[in-house]
Amino acid sequence: MDINHYEMVASGVIEAMPRQKPVPQQLLSLARRQGGLVSAAQCEAVGVRPSQRRNLVARGPWRRVARGVFDTGDVPARFHPYDVDRLRSAWSALLVNRRAIAVGACALVLHGVEGLPRKLVPEAALPRGAAGRCPDGFVVRQYGPTPETVEIQGREVVEVEQALVQALPMLTRDEAVACLDSALNKGLIRTEQLATITRRLRRRRGSAKVITYIPLVDGRAESPPESHARLRLRDADIAPDDLQREFFDATGRFLGRADMVWYLGGDRWLIVEIDSHEFHGYERQVRHDATRQNRLLAEGQNIILRYFPTDLDDHFAEDVAKVLERKPGIRVGSCLCAIRPGRIDQSSCCQARRILAATAVVND
């Protein structure tokens, strides 16, 4: 503080302000795990009293989200803004009430399921299906008896199968399929649970449409953009011949694994790769993807098309179709084991081509 500041304080031009007490690192560390949010109770537990909280809100950088819930603005730099938004929705629903149980889409966020909308309504339930008051923009669900839950970061969260049943009816086709793909790919549910989810959805009002999406699920997709791309191609009647296919050179050296492939004949493949800042944004991953692509191209047998999520419009499917149409004698959608007998694992190929009403293929 310089001499001019002291003179201005003495003359009454500005008021002296006490030095702001630092926020305990323990609280900031907790906030980073909760999308930047903390509750008043969590603040009290580490000695951040109401007066300090008021100052932090008034002078920054804190912001009051709801009564007793504060946004510290402290989130890990590695988090994509969309992930932060979803995490904040999930945690704000829990922090407004100590008895709250995470349900639906908010529970899926805490389980690590990807593919959800960026903006989620903060929703929670209370024990034994009790009703409760909540701030504007928040929802308290009443699902009857207390659901089966697991503990995540010290809070009750409904188990993932039930959370899917609760959330799926409110999602679009692309979101629902991407969420189920993600849950399968991450091992959060097993393939056989899709049949159980279907049965449970039949008992829920407004679920008829989402049940028709389940045959489209494929747990080999490694990110929501890959799921969305696969659906676009299916809609255009040019579904990939295989997903996450591994390639090796003549010596058996592993070259890479491709997101989606079509066999073009003559040991040539069309490979479509889906990238995004949200899922492949870190420098290490970008370098890895570039190395993998170079190896696949170095063989001289393959055509690679690479897209970002913003490219997944009508022209995306048209681009892929044009490449396939230039290859006579190869019927789009043919089973690989019929095209290349003896060169493809027939059982895995045919299984990948069949998506039944309550079945998805998971690539271990």
Side-chain angles (χ1 to χ4, degrees), residues 40-54:
Q42 291 170 335
C43 292
E44 289 289 338
V46 295
V48 178
R49 304 304 180 202
S51 59
Q52 185 177 357
R53 298 199 293 270
R54 285 193 295 271

Side-chain angles (χ1 to χ4, degrees), residues 137-164:
F138 290 66
V139 174
V140 174
R141 305 287 186 190
Q142 291 181 272
Y143 288 119
T146 301
E148 183 178 345
T149 63
V150 297
E151 185 176 304
I152 297 179
Q153 295 185 42
R155 297 302 301 259
E156 284 191 89
V157 179
V158 296
E159 52 86 24
V160 68
E161 182 182 298
Q162 185 161 355
L164 284 165

Side-chain angles (χ1 to χ4, degrees), residues 4-26:
N4 290 333
H5 180 86
Y6 283 113
E7 290 175 352
M8 293 172 72
V9 170
S11 62
V13 174
I14 63 173
E15 295 181 3
M17 298 183 69
R19 180 169 302 195
Q20 190 161 283
K21 184 179 177 182
V23 177
Q25 197 59 43
Q26 179 184 353

Side-chain angles (χ1 to χ4, degrees), residues 39 41-42 69 90-103 123-134 139-142 144 146-147 149-150 154-158:
S39 69
Q42 291 170 335
V69 181
W91 275 105
S92 62
L94 291 176
L95 295 176
V96 295
N97 191 316
R98 297 184 187 183
R99 299 186 301 142
I101 301 168
V103 297
E123 59 179 338
L126 297 176
R128 296 180 297 281
R133 298 178 60 186
C134 60
V139 174
V140 174
R141 305 287 186 190
Q142 291 181 272
T146 301
T149 63
V150 297
R155 297 302 301 259
E156 284 191 89
V157 179
V158 296

Side-chain angles (χ1 to χ4, degrees), residues 241 262-268 323-336 338-340:
D241 288 328
W262 292 256
Y263 182 59
L264 302 176
D267 287 332
R268 302 190 70 208
V323 175
L324 295 172
E325 288 166 1
R326 292 201 299 265
K327 304 300 170 183
I330 301 301
R331 180 174 63 83
V332 176
S334 297
C335 182
L336 289 177
I339 297 172
R340 305 183 70 200

Side-chain angles (χ1 to χ4, degrees), residues 53-240:
R53 298 199 293 270
R54 285 193 295 271
N55 284 334
L56 286 165
V57 171
R59 298 165 58 183
W62 285 25
R63 181 175 63 87
R64 183 174 282 103
V65 174
R67 183 176 180 182
V69 181
F70 303 91
D71 181 358
T72 67
D74 198 331
V75 297
R78 69 180 186 277
F79 272 38
H80 190 279
Y82 291 3
D83 293 326
V84 173
D85 287 345
R86 297 179 191 112
L87 201 56
R88 281 177 172 161
S89 294
W91 275 105
S92 62
L94 291 176
L95 295 176
V96 295
N97 191 316
R98 297 184 187 183
R99 299 186 301 142
I101 301 168
V103 297
C106 289
L108 294 179
V109 171
L110 298 177
H111 281 291
V113 173
E114 298 176 342
L116 292 158
R118 177 182 181 180
K119 298 295 184 182
L120 297 177
V121 175
E123 59 179 338
L126 297 176
R128 296 180 297 281
R133 298 178 60 186
C134 60
D136 290 343
F138 290 66
V139 174
V140 174
R141 305 287 186 190
Q142 291 181 272
Y143 288 119
T146 301
E148 183 178 345
T149 63
V150 297
E151 185 176 304
I152 297 179
Q153 295 185 42
R155 297 302 301 259
E156 284 191 89
V157 179
V158 296
E159 52 86 24
V160 68
E161 182 182 298
Q162 185 161 355
L164 284 165
V165 172
Q166 293 167 347
L168 289 174
M170 293 179 279
L171 302 178
T172 66
R173 182 198 68 166
D174 287 9
E175 292 163 353
V177 172
C179 284
L180 287 166
D181 283 357
S182 174
L184 281 168
N185 185 268
K186 291 172 177 285
L188 297 171
I189 60 172
R190 302 181 305 278
T191 302
E192 54 267 28
Q193 285 180 267
L194 292 176
T196 307
I197 290 171
T198 301
R199 288 195 299 270
R200 295 177 69 173
L201 283 169
R202 288 197 182 105
R203 299 195 294 266
R204 291 182 64 85
R205 182 180 301 175
S207 297
K209 182 174 288 188
V210 75
I211 289 172
T212 67
Y213 305 154
I214 292 180
L216 308 178
V217 174
D218 193 317
R220 293 175 295 172
E222 295 187 335
S223 73
E226 289 181 30
S227 300
H228 300 162
R230 188 182 77 247
L231 292 171
R232 299 286 181 279
L233 295 165
R234 178 189 176 278
D235 292 342
D237 201 27
I238 49 173

